[in-house]
């Protein structure tokens, strides 16, 4: 048999994948994609029956090792429950038969630190709230003048220096570097994620860059405008589809986050699987009166999503949701959707998809894990394309976690 047949058996606490045929360079990807789909659906306990596999190549072994490591990292397992003699001989020769066939211990039932005190369902999603420290105080700081973006009027006198650090988050326009002169040709969307700062240079490269602060290395960014806040999070909210088919828009997500926390203004850090992002980024640095938003220049100077982008990617989003307009925040926020009082400003860093822990998830550790193990693909300013007929609407998500700091 030159192909690979896959049959799925569902037990109460695990899935068993029965494979028949060859697990070689031509078929290993088939198994890998099949397992990836199951993991996206939330299945983290997976066993393999390889008694029908007649041939196992090095590419097949690499797939088995990769999935074993990925699921072990998120408190799950991927192990070989039964295997053919041919498979056993190959795995014995490379010293992996015992490791990949090891029977997992019974998964521990754990939950995030804090006490779950609220659950509800809305828009086809389950929401669960963990109170981390409701009395935490979060400092929100706005800087720079967003209005200068319209005329590309930024100069050295307008910049703010941003340094990375534990529990510091923010977004805006800026560039990695210490001075205006060093950064003036590269200003673009940035996202501050604790010890790490990433940005999309506005120099036409369309390739995000970042610095991860480690040891004595501190990331330094010259910012034109934006806001940042201390990550003294009061709540952690997990959201997931009730049937693994629904997706949720940014505005519906914001509505439910304000409802579940009882707050009117929220600083948020979200890790979520994308169902398609809608947004934009500048492709030219906004200095020296450069024409960016006029026609026909805008076709080259601004990158728009022409269709929902980065479907099934993992996103790290930082931003602010607000139901209260103030003199301070109104310049930095825009309506989430037409006729919606909720306003927001959100940037998303887009990574290749990896599975995440369902419980005991730590924000700082997860951010480090993403930068260390997967690829940063893009940074987008999320927007609502509300044009009649041709409008793409809002960004949508499949599942994820939101760390929330009320800043009423």
């Amino acid at each position: 048999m030159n192909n690979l047949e896959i049959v799925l058996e569902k037990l109460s606490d695990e899935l068993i994948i029965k494979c028949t045929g060859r697990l070689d360079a031509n078929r290993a990807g088939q198994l890998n994609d099949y397992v990836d789909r199951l993991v996206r659906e939330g299945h983290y306990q997976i066993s393999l029956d390889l008694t029908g596999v007649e041939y196992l190549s090095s590419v097949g072994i690499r797939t088995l090792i990769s999935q074993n490591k990925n699921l072990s990292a998120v408190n799950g397992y991927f192990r070989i429950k039964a295997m053919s003699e041919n498979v056993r001989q190959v795995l014995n020769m490379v010293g992996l038969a015992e490791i990949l066939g090891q029977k997992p211990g019974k998964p521990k039932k754990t939950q995030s630190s804090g006490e779950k005190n609220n659950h509800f369902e809305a828009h086809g999603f389950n929401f669960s709230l963990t109170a981390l420290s409701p009395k935490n105080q979060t400092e929100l700081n706005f800087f720079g003048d967003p209005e200068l973006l319209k005329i590309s009027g930024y100069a050295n006198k307008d910049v703010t220096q941003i340094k990375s650090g534990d529990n510091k988050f923010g977004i805006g326009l800026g560039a990695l570097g210490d001075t205006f002169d060093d950064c003036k040709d590269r200003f673009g969307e940035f996202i501050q994620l604790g010890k790490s700062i990433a940005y999309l240079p506005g120099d036409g490269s369309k390739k995000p860059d970042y610095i991860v602060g480690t040891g004595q290395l501190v990331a330094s960014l010259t910012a034109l405008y934006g806001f940042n806040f201390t990550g003294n999070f009061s709540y952690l909210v997990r959201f997931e589809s009730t049937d693994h088919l629904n997706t949720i828009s940014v505005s519906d997500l914001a509505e439910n986050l304000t409802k579940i926390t009882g707050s009117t203004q929220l600083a948020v850090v979200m890790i979520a699987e994308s169902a398609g992002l809608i947004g934009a980024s500048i492709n030219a640095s906004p200095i020296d009166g450069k024409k960016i938003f006029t026609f026909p220049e805008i076709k080259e100077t601004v990158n728009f999503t022409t269709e929902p982008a980065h479907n099934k990617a993992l996103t790290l989003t930082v931003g602010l949701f607000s139901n209260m307009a103030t003199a301070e925040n109104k310049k930095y926020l825009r309506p989430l959707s037409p006729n919606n009082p909720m306003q927001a400003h959100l940037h998303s860093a887009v990574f290749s998809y990896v599975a995440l822990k369902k419980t005991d998830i730590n924000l700082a550790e997860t951010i480090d894990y993403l930068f260390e193990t997967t690829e940063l693909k893009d940074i987008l300013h999320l927007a609502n394309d509300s044009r009649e007929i041709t409008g793409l609407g809002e960004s949508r998500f499949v599942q994820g976690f939101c760390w929330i700091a009320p800043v009423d």
Side-chain angles (χ1 to χ4, degrees):
M1 179 180 290
N2 292 323
N3 60 352
L4 180 68
E5 294 181 358
I6 298 176
V7 176
L8 182 66
E9 180 182 353
K10 296 183 179 181
L11 300 182
S12 59
D13 58 349
E14 73 172 353
L15 299 181
I16 298 177
I17 300 174
K18 186 174 183 179
C19 298
T20 304
R22 296 171 64 86
L23 195 50
D24 55 17
N26 290 324
R27 303 300 174 187
Q30 178 185 347
L31 176 61
N32 194 66
D33 291 345
Y34 191 87
V35 175
D36 281 348
R37 179 175 64 82
L38 295 176
V39 172
R40 286 177 183 271
E41 293 176 356
H43 302 291
Y44 285 14
Q45 287 80 45
I46 300 175
S47 292
L48 289 177
D49 182 345
L50 301 184
T51 53
V53 173
E54 59 196 39
Y55 176 79
L56 176 65
S57 74
S58 293
V59 178
I61 293 173
R62 186 172 63 187
T63 296
L64 300 178
I65 294 172
S66 175
Q67 293 292 357
N68 177 275
K69 288 182 177 179
N70 290 343
L71 282 169
S72 294
V74 294
N75 299 331
Y77 63 79
F78 180 83
R79 61 112 178 189
I80 302 175
K81 189 172 186 176
M83 65 187 86
S84 66
E85 189 57 34
N86 287 348
V87 171
R88 188 180 302 277
Q89 288 179 2
V90 171
L91 292 180
N92 275 331
M93 285 188 287
V94 295
L96 291 173
E98 184 176 350
I99 294 173
L100 292 176
Q102 187 174 12
K103 185 175 181 179
K106 189 174 181 180
K108 296 179 181 179
K109 293 184 177 181
T110 60
Q111 66 177 42
S112 302
S113 58
E115 181 181 354
K116 291 272 180 72
N117 56 21
N118 204 345
H119 301 260
F120 75 97
E121 181 180 331
H123 301 102
F125 271 71
N126 289 319
F127 292 83
S128 58
L129 178 144
T130 300
L132 301 176
S133 184
K135 295 183 180 180
N136 272 350
Q137 297 295 313
T138 296
E139 179 182 348
L140 175 64
N141 176 49
F142 295 95
F143 51 85
D145 185 359
E147 297 300 315
L148 292 175
L149 176 61
K150 299 176 183 178
I151 58 172
S152 296
Y154 292 106
N156 183 55
K157 62 182 176 59
D158 302 305
V159 302
T160 301
Q161 297 300 319
I162 302 295
K163 302 292 184 182
S164 65
D166 291 334
N167 249 20
K168 294 181 179 180
F169 300 89
I171 59 173
L173 285 185
L176 289 171
D178 296 317
T179 67
F180 178 85
D181 287 338
D182 176 39
C183 300
K184 65 181 182 179
D185 296 322
R186 298 181 285 111
F187 288 119
E189 282 75 14
F190 79 82
I191 183 168
Q192 182 180 11
L193 296 160
K195 296 183 296 182
S196 304
I197 298 179
Y199 84 116
L200 187 64
D203 58 4
S205 64
K206 299 181 182 181
K207 182 68 176 177
D209 197 9
Y210 62 90
I211 291 178
V212 176
T214 55
Q216 295 183 349
L217 176 63
V218 176
S220 176
L221 180 131
T222 298
L224 300 180
Y225 83 87
F227 59 84
N228 54 22
F229 57 91
T230 54
N232 299 322
F233 299 107
S234 299
Y235 305 102
L236 171 61
V237 174
R238 182 184 178 191
F239 63 96
E240 57 182 345
S241 170
T242 55
D243 60 4
H244 303 295
L245 297 176
N246 297 319
T247 63
I248 191 167
S249 68
V250 173
S251 57
D252 286 340
L253 182 61
E255 174 190 333
N256 285 287
L257 293 181
T258 54
K259 181 185 299 183
I260 197 173
T261 60
S263 301
T264 57
Q265 184 164 257
L266 305 173
V268 175
V269 178
M270 176 174 70
I271 299 177
E273 180 183 350
S274 164
L277 300 181
I278 309 298
S281 58
I282 60 172
N283 202 33
S285 193
I287 63 168
D288 298 333
K290 195 176 300 177
K291 293 181 178 180
I292 293 181
F293 300 102
T294 56
F295 186 84
E297 288 84 5
I298 193 171
K299 294 192 294 184
E300 300 295 331
T301 55
V302 180
N303 302 314
F304 295 100
T305 51
T306 56
E307 60 183 12
H310 305 301
N311 186 37
K312 298 184 178 180
L314 198 66
T315 61
L316 249 173
T317 302
V318 173
L320 185 68
F321 294 124
S322 181
N323 261 327
M324 60 177 194
T326 67
E328 187 176 33
N329 71 19
K330 65 180 183 180
K331 293 194 299 183
Y332 298 84
L333 307 179
R334 294 292 180 270
L336 271 177
S337 58
N339 303 316
N340 187 340
M342 179 74 70
Q343 300 201 32
H345 189 164
L346 303 164
H347 286 186
S348 281
V350 183
F351 294 85
S352 301
Y353 180 82
V354 292
L356 297 177
K357 293 180 179 180
K358 293 182 180 181
T359 57
D360 288 337
I361 187 168
N362 179 280
L363 178 57
E365 290 177 359
T366 304
I367 292 172
D368 290 344
Y369 178 73
L370 290 176
F371 278 107
E372 290 170 2
T373 63
T374 188
E375 178 188 2
L376 175 61
K377 293 185 172 184
D378 200 0
I379 297 174
L380 274 178
H381 171 104
L382 300 190
N384 187 329
D385 183 0
S386 57
R387 295 173 297 169
E388 292 186 9
I389 303 176
T390 59
L392 299 174
E394 297 181 77
S395 300
R396 304 188 70 89
F397 298 93
V398 177
Q399 59 183 337
F401 296 87
C402 294
W403 285 261
I404 298 172
V407 284
D408 295 339

PDB file of all heavy atoms in Angstrom, residues 326-346:
ATOM      1  N   THR A 326     -13.202  60.631  26.382  1.00  0.00           N
ATOM      2  CA  THR A 326     -12.611  61.699  27.182  1.00  0.00           C
ATOM      3  C   THR A 326     -11.747  62.565  26.284  1.00  0.00           C
ATOM      4  O   THR A 326     -11.393  62.183  25.165  1.00  0.00           O
ATOM      5  CB  THR A 326     -11.739  61.121  28.315  1.00  0.00           C
ATOM      6  OG1 THR A 326     -10.594  60.473  27.740  1.00  0.00           O
ATOM      7  CG2 THR A 326     -12.516  60.108  29.145  1.00  0.00           C
ATOM      8  N   ALA A 327     -11.409  63.738  26.780  1.00  0.00           N
ATOM      9  CA  ALA A 327     -10.547  64.632  26.005  1.00  0.00           C
ATOM     10  C   ALA A 327      -9.198  63.980  25.730  1.00  0.00           C
ATOM     11  O   ALA A 327      -8.562  64.258  24.706  1.00  0.00           O
ATOM     12  CB  ALA A 327     -10.360  65.940  26.765  1.00  0.00           C
ATOM     13  N   GLU A 328      -8.781  63.101  26.626  1.00  0.00           N
ATOM     14  CA  GLU A 328      -7.466  62.485  26.483  1.00  0.00           C
ATOM     15  C   GLU A 328      -7.471  61.328  25.491  1.00  0.00           C
ATOM     16  O   GLU A 328      -6.560  61.188  24.678  1.00  0.00           O
ATOM     17  CB  GLU A 328      -6.982  61.986  27.848  1.00  0.00           C
ATOM     18  CG  GLU A 328      -5.548  61.476  27.829  1.00  0.00           C
ATOM     19  CD  GLU A 328      -5.063  61.084  29.202  1.00  0.00           C
ATOM     20  OE1 GLU A 328      -5.874  60.602  30.013  1.00  0.00           O
ATOM     21  OE2 GLU A 328      -3.862  61.254  29.464  1.00  0.00           O
ATOM     22  N   ASN A 329      -8.501  60.471  25.551  1.00  0.00           N
ATOM     23  CA  ASN A 329      -8.431  59.255  24.740  1.00  0.00           C
ATOM     24  C   ASN A 329      -9.042  59.384  23.350  1.00  0.00           C
ATOM     25  O   ASN A 329      -8.804  58.539  22.490  1.00  0.00           O
ATOM     26  CB  ASN A 329      -9.069  58.071  25.475  1.00  0.00           C
ATOM     27  CG  ASN A 329     -10.582  58.161  25.572  1.00  0.00           C
ATOM     28  OD1 ASN A 329     -11.254  58.883  24.843  1.00  0.00           O
ATOM     29  ND2 ASN A 329     -11.147  57.398  26.507  1.00  0.00           N
ATOM     30  N   LYS A 330      -9.847  60.434  23.082  1.00  0.00           N
ATOM     31  CA  LYS A 330     -10.606  60.458  21.837  1.00  0.00           C
ATOM     32  C   LYS A 330      -9.721  60.570  20.601  1.00  0.00           C
ATOM     33  O   LYS A 330     -10.107  60.127  19.512  1.00  0.00           O
ATOM     34  CB  LYS A 330     -11.632  61.592  21.864  1.00  0.00           C
ATOM     35  CG  LYS A 330     -11.047  62.998  21.917  1.00  0.00           C
ATOM     36  CD  LYS A 330     -12.169  64.036  21.942  1.00  0.00           C
ATOM     37  CE  LYS A 330     -11.626  65.456  21.926  1.00  0.00           C
ATOM     38  NZ  LYS A 330     -12.715  66.453  21.947  1.00  0.00           N
ATOM     39  N   LYS A 331      -8.516  61.155  20.745  1.00  0.00           N
ATOM     40  CA  LYS A 331      -7.626  61.260  19.584  1.00  0.00           C
ATOM     41  C   LYS A 331      -7.003  59.918  19.210  1.00  0.00           C
ATOM     42  O   LYS A 331      -6.553  59.735  18.083  1.00  0.00           O
ATOM     43  CB  LYS A 331      -6.509  62.266  19.872  1.00  0.00           C
ATOM     44  CG  LYS A 331      -6.970  63.701  20.004  1.00  0.00           C
ATOM     45  CD  LYS A 331      -5.795  64.670  19.945  1.00  0.00           C
ATOM     46  CE  LYS A 331      -4.805  64.439  21.070  1.00  0.00           C
ATOM     47  NZ  LYS A 331      -3.700  65.424  21.038  1.00  0.00           N
ATOM     48  N   TYR A 332      -6.989  58.997  20.159  1.00  0.00           N
ATOM     49  CA  TYR A 332      -6.275  57.731  19.952  1.00  0.00           C
ATOM     50  C   TYR A 332      -7.198  56.569  19.589  1.00  0.00           C
ATOM     51  O   TYR A 332      -6.716  55.485  19.228  1.00  0.00           O
ATOM     52  CB  TYR A 332      -5.496  57.369  21.220  1.00  0.00           C
ATOM     53  CG  TYR A 332      -4.445  58.384  21.593  1.00  0.00           C
ATOM     54  CD1 TYR A 332      -4.776  59.520  22.328  1.00  0.00           C
ATOM     55  CD2 TYR A 332      -3.126  58.225  21.196  1.00  0.00           C
ATOM     56  CE1 TYR A 332      -3.816  60.464  22.673  1.00  0.00           C
ATOM     57  CE2 TYR A 332      -2.158  59.154  21.531  1.00  0.00           C
ATOM     58  CZ  TYR A 332      -2.516  60.276  22.271  1.00  0.00           C
ATOM     59  OH  TYR A 332      -1.557  61.207  22.596  1.00  0.00           O
ATOM     60  N   LEU A 333      -8.503  56.753  19.720  1.00  0.00           N
ATOM     61  CA  LEU A 333      -9.450  55.660  19.536  1.00  0.00           C
ATOM     62  C   LEU A 333     -10.391  55.946  18.375  1.00  0.00           C
ATOM     63  O   LEU A 333     -10.651  57.100  18.033  1.00  0.00           O
ATOM     64  CB  LEU A 333     -10.265  55.444  20.816  1.00  0.00           C
ATOM     65  CG  LEU A 333      -9.485  55.255  22.111  1.00  0.00           C
ATOM     66  CD1 LEU A 333     -10.450  55.067  23.276  1.00  0.00           C
ATOM     67  CD2 LEU A 333      -8.532  54.062  22.014  1.00  0.00           C
ATOM     68  N   ARG A 334     -10.916  54.855  17.779  1.00  0.00           N
ATOM     69  CA  ARG A 334     -11.880  54.952  16.696  1.00  0.00           C
ATOM     70  C   ARG A 334     -13.026  53.975  16.960  1.00  0.00           C
ATOM     71  O   ARG A 334     -12.825  52.949  17.622  1.00  0.00           O
ATOM     72  CB  ARG A 334     -11.223  54.627  15.358  1.00  0.00           C
ATOM     73  CG  ARG A 334     -10.168  55.629  14.909  1.00  0.00           C
ATOM     74  CD  ARG A 334     -10.779  56.969  14.570  1.00  0.00           C
ATOM     75  NE  ARG A 334      -9.784  57.949  14.131  1.00  0.00           N
ATOM     76  CZ  ARG A 334      -9.130  58.779  14.937  1.00  0.00           C
ATOM     77  NH1 ARG A 334      -9.362  58.744  16.248  1.00  0.00           N
ATOM     78  NH2 ARG A 334      -8.265  59.645  14.455  1.00  0.00           N
ATOM     79  N   PRO A 335     -14.239  54.266  16.428  1.00  0.00           N
ATOM     80  CA  PRO A 335     -15.361  53.340  16.627  1.00  0.00           C
ATOM     81  C   PRO A 335     -15.043  51.943  16.096  1.00  0.00           C
ATOM     82  O   PRO A 335     -14.447  51.805  15.023  1.00  0.00           O
ATOM     83  CB  PRO A 335     -16.493  53.992  15.820  1.00  0.00           C
ATOM     84  CG  PRO A 335     -16.132  55.440  15.755  1.00  0.00           C
ATOM     85  CD  PRO A 335     -14.638  55.483  15.685  1.00  0.00           C
ATOM     86  N   LEU A 336     -15.460  50.928  16.853  1.00  0.00           N
ATOM     87  CA  LEU A 336     -15.225  49.557  16.420  1.00  0.00           C
ATOM     88  C   LEU A 336     -16.058  49.210  15.197  1.00  0.00           C
ATOM     89  O   LEU A 336     -15.631  48.435  14.336  1.00  0.00           O
ATOM     90  CB  LEU A 336     -15.561  48.581  17.560  1.00  0.00           C
ATOM     91  CG  LEU A 336     -14.429  48.257  18.517  1.00  0.00           C
ATOM     92  CD1 LEU A 336     -14.922  47.340  19.625  1.00  0.00           C
ATOM     93  CD2 LEU A 336     -13.265  47.612  17.787  1.00  0.00           C
ATOM     94  N   SER A 337     -17.257  49.742  15.120  1.00  0.00           N
ATOM     95  CA  SER A 337     -18.137  49.489  13.986  1.00  0.00           C
ATOM     96  C   SER A 337     -19.143  50.623  13.902  1.00  0.00           C
ATOM     97  O   SER A 337     -19.349  51.357  14.882  1.00  0.00           O
ATOM     98  CB  SER A 337     -18.853  48.140  14.139  1.00  0.00           C
ATOM     99  OG  SER A 337     -19.596  48.083  15.339  1.00  0.00           O
ATOM    100  N   PRO A 338     -19.793  50.826  12.739  1.00  0.00           N
ATOM    101  CA  PRO A 338     -20.769  51.908  12.598  1.00  0.00           C
ATOM    102  C   PRO A 338     -21.893  51.801  13.632  1.00  0.00           C
ATOM    103  O   PRO A 338     -22.357  50.709  13.951  1.00  0.00           O
ATOM    104  CB  PRO A 338     -21.303  51.701  11.174  1.00  0.00           C
ATOM    105  CG  PRO A 338     -20.210  50.975  10.457  1.00  0.00           C
ATOM    106  CD  PRO A 338     -19.581  50.090  11.482  1.00  0.00           C
ATOM    107  N   ASN A 339     -22.282  52.927  14.166  1.00  0.00           N
ATOM    108  CA  ASN A 339     -23.386  53.003  15.144  1.00  0.00           C
ATOM    109  C   ASN A 339     -23.087  52.251  16.436  1.00  0.00           C
ATOM    110  O   ASN A 339     -23.997  51.861  17.168  1.00  0.00           O
ATOM    111  CB  ASN A 339     -24.684  52.473  14.529  1.00  0.00           C
ATOM    112  CG  ASN A 339     -25.064  53.207  13.263  1.00  0.00           C
ATOM    113  OD1 ASN A 339     -24.984  54.435  13.201  1.00  0.00           O
ATOM    114  ND2 ASN A 339     -25.471  52.458  12.241  1.00  0.00           N
ATOM    115  N   ASN A 340     -21.806  52.020  16.704  1.00  0.00           N
ATOM    116  CA  ASN A 340     -21.401  51.325  17.930  1.00  0.00           C
ATOM    117  C   ASN A 340     -20.681  52.330  18.823  1.00  0.00           C
ATOM    118  O   ASN A 340     -19.687  52.933  18.397  1.00  0.00           O
ATOM    119  CB  ASN A 340     -20.485  50.154  17.592  1.00  0.00           C
ATOM    120  CG  ASN A 340     -20.161  49.276  18.799  1.00  0.00           C
ATOM    121  OD1 ASN A 340     -20.297  49.712  19.944  1.00  0.00           O
ATOM    122  ND2 ASN A 340     -19.755  48.054  18.547  1.00  0.00           N
ATOM    123  N   PRO A 341     -21.148  52.536  20.051  1.00  0.00           N
ATOM    124  CA  PRO A 341     -20.484  53.499  20.937  1.00  0.00           C
ATOM    125  C   PRO A 341     -19.104  53.048  21.397  1.00  0.00           C
ATOM    126  O   PRO A 341     -18.303  53.877  21.840  1.00  0.00           O
ATOM    127  CB  PRO A 341     -21.451  53.609  22.122  1.00  0.00           C
ATOM    128  CG  PRO A 341     -22.178  52.300  22.130  1.00  0.00           C
ATOM    129  CD  PRO A 341     -22.326  51.910  20.693  1.00  0.00           C
ATOM    130  N   MET A 342     -18.827  51.747  21.285  1.00  0.00           N
ATOM    131  CA  MET A 342     -17.533  51.236  21.713  1.00  0.00           C
ATOM    132  C   MET A 342     -16.429  51.704  20.759  1.00  0.00           C
ATOM    133  O   MET A 342     -16.542  51.588  19.549  1.00  0.00           O
ATOM    134  CB  MET A 342     -17.552  49.706  21.751  1.00  0.00           C
ATOM    135  CG  MET A 342     -16.238  49.065  22.164  1.00  0.00           C
ATOM    136  SD  MET A 342     -15.892  49.212  23.923  1.00  0.00           S
ATOM    137  CE  MET A 342     -17.150  48.102  24.580  1.00  0.00           C
ATOM    138  N   GLN A 343     -15.343  52.251  21.346  1.00  0.00           N
ATOM    139  CA  GLN A 343     -14.196  52.674  20.556  1.00  0.00           C
ATOM    140  C   GLN A 343     -12.988  51.855  20.967  1.00  0.00           C
ATOM    141  O   GLN A 343     -12.941  51.277  22.056  1.00  0.00           O
ATOM    142  CB  GLN A 343     -13.941  54.170  20.750  1.00  0.00           C
ATOM    143  CG  GLN A 343     -15.126  55.023  20.334  1.00  0.00           C
ATOM    144  CD  GLN A 343     -14.715  56.454  20.033  1.00  0.00           C
ATOM    145  OE1 GLN A 343     -13.612  56.725  19.559  1.00  0.00           O
ATOM    146  NE2 GLN A 343     -15.617  57.379  20.302  1.00  0.00           N
ATOM    147  N   ALA A 344     -12.003  51.806  20.084  1.00  0.00           N
ATOM    148  CA  ALA A 344     -10.843  50.955  20.363  1.00  0.00           C
ATOM    149  C   ALA A 344      -9.641  51.380  19.531  1.00  0.00           C
ATOM    150  O   ALA A 344      -9.756  52.137  18.560  1.00  0.00           O
ATOM    151  CB  ALA A 344     -11.186  49.497  20.073  1.00  0.00           C
ATOM    152  N   HIS A 345      -8.495  50.882  19.924  1.00  0.00           N
ATOM    153  CA  HIS A 345      -7.258  50.968  19.149  1.00  0.00           C
ATOM    154  C   HIS A 345      -6.504  49.682  19.456  1.00  0.00           C
ATOM    155  O   HIS A 345      -6.151  49.424  20.612  1.00  0.00           O
ATOM    156  CB  HIS A 345      -6.448  52.193  19.550  1.00  0.00           C
ATOM    157  CG  HIS A 345      -5.285  52.471  18.655  1.00  0.00           C
ATOM    158  ND1 HIS A 345      -4.623  53.684  18.644  1.00  0.00           N
ATOM    159  CD2 HIS A 345      -4.645  51.708  17.726  1.00  0.00           C
ATOM    160  CE1 HIS A 345      -3.639  53.653  17.757  1.00  0.00           C
ATOM    161  NE2 HIS A 345      -3.623  52.450  17.199  1.00  0.00           N
ATOM    162  N   LEU A 346      -6.255  48.866  18.413  1.00  0.00           N
ATOM    163  CA  LEU A 346      -5.678  47.540  18.609  1.00  0.00           C
ATOM    164  C   LEU A 346      -4.599  47.270  17.561  1.00  0.00           C
ATOM    165  O   LEU A 346      -4.793  47.561  16.374  1.00  0.00           O
ATOM    166  CB  LEU A 346      -6.756  46.454  18.483  1.00  0.00           C
ATOM    167  CG  LEU A 346      -7.975  46.536  19.390  1.00  0.00           C
ATOM    168  CD1 LEU A 346      -9.082  45.642  18.848  1.00  0.00           C
ATOM    169  CD2 LEU A 346      -7.621  46.150  20.819  1.00  0.00           C
TER     170      LEU A 346
END
